[in-house]
Amino acid sequence: LDYNNLDCGVLMPSLKQAQLRHIALYEEILWQANELFLRGTTTARESIVLFDQNWENIQSAHSNSVLLANTDGAAAEFCSKYASSGAFILNLRQPPSERIVWLESALQHSRRLGNRQAEGWHLGNLGNAYRDIGENEKAIQWFEKGLEIFREMQDPRAESSFHSNLGNIYADIAEYEKALAAYSNALKIDDTTG
């Protein structure tokens, strides 16, 4: 192969397509590990094995999605999906500071793509990550922003979840009246929706 006369215009799209396939493959594996984890007991152990065996490739693929996301819509979508596809298992296996980096990138690209539902869930997961590191004020801000989105979208299930998370944080910081109000809001929604 004569590297001096290579047409980079032909090579680059092939490289980008290969990177996108790599990104897609490991997003799917992350999703599978997360799904197995959610099923519990025996499959939870399988999910952790699957996750651990592929963790380096998952990280590499996620990094590539972040690098390509500003210039490629598919990569931006994957950048957003990585944070949600593995939300539960990442919560178990990834340090909160690292989760925050992934979630901030996912939030940025979900906003850029106009995906309000993904934006709302990323805000909620950021709230949980900040709660995990004890930054409760930031967590409250993220949950309130997410709650606004789901109110606009008229998604009562998500609204209830966000009220419950706010209640948990207020209980953590001994603001019991606010916690009770948040839990009451969640209960009203749950009663209404059955």
Side-chain angles (χ1 to χ4, degrees):
L1 186 60
D2 182 0
Y3 290 100
N4 294 324
N5 293 318
L6 252 170
D7 182 356
C8 289
V10 172
L11 184 62
M12 292 311 286
S14 298
L15 177 60
K16 188 175 183 181
Q17 290 305 314
Q19 286 175 316
L20 288 172
R21 284 193 301 275
H22 182 256
I23 290 166
L25 171 65
Y26 285 99
E27 184 273 331
E28 175 68 21
I29 290 171
L30 178 60
W31 180 85
Q32 288 173 358
N34 197 67
E35 286 299 304
L36 287 170
F37 180 75
L38 290 174
R39 290 183 198 156
T41 58
T42 306
T43 58
R45 284 190 289 276
E46 292 171 23
S47 76
I48 291 168
V49 170
L50 178 63
F51 179 86
D52 289 346
Q53 286 175 340
N54 290 284
W55 179 229
E56 285 183 30
N57 283 315
I58 291 168
Q59 288 176 302
S60 171
H62 174 263
S63 294
N64 284 335
S65 76
V66 172
L67 290 172
L68 295 172
N70 288 325
T71 59
D72 185 277
E77 191 172 321
F78 277 115
C79 185
S80 176
K81 286 174 75 175
Y82 263 85
S84 55
S85 293
F88 293 96
I89 198 160
L90 288 172
N91 194 39
L92 176 71
R93 301 302 264 185
Q94 195 178 37
S97 58
E98 203 174 298
R99 273 197 336 265
I100 288 168
V101 171
W102 280 40
L103 286 163
E104 286 175 344
S105 182
L107 178 62
Q108 173 192 349
H109 293 293
S110 64
R111 285 178 171 162
R112 193 175 70 107
L113 295 169
N115 186 337
R116 296 287 281 166
Q117 185 175 38
E119 179 183 351
W121 288 116
H122 295 323
L123 289 165
N125 287 326
L126 274 165
N128 284 324
Y130 276 102
R131 180 180 178 213
D132 288 347
I133 60 173
E135 291 193 35
N136 293 321
E137 290 303 315
K138 277 189 178 180
I140 290 168
Q141 291 170 3
W142 290 121
F143 282 128
E144 288 176 346
K145 288 178 182 180
L147 182 58
E148 287 175 29
I149 288 173
F150 288 116
R151 277 189 186 133
E152 289 171 18
M153 294 179 65
Q154 299 180 349
D155 183 340
R157 181 176 128 312
E159 280 186 62
S160 174
S161 175
F162 276 70
H163 281 298
S164 293
N165 281 321
L166 283 166
N168 292 338
I169 290 176
Y170 286 128
D172 287 349
I173 59 176
E175 291 194 32
Y176 299 117
E177 287 185 27
K178 288 182 179 180
L180 184 58
Y183 290 138
S184 295
N185 287 334
L187 185 59
K188 284 177 197 170
I189 292 168
D190 291 345
D191 283 344
T192 302
T193 60

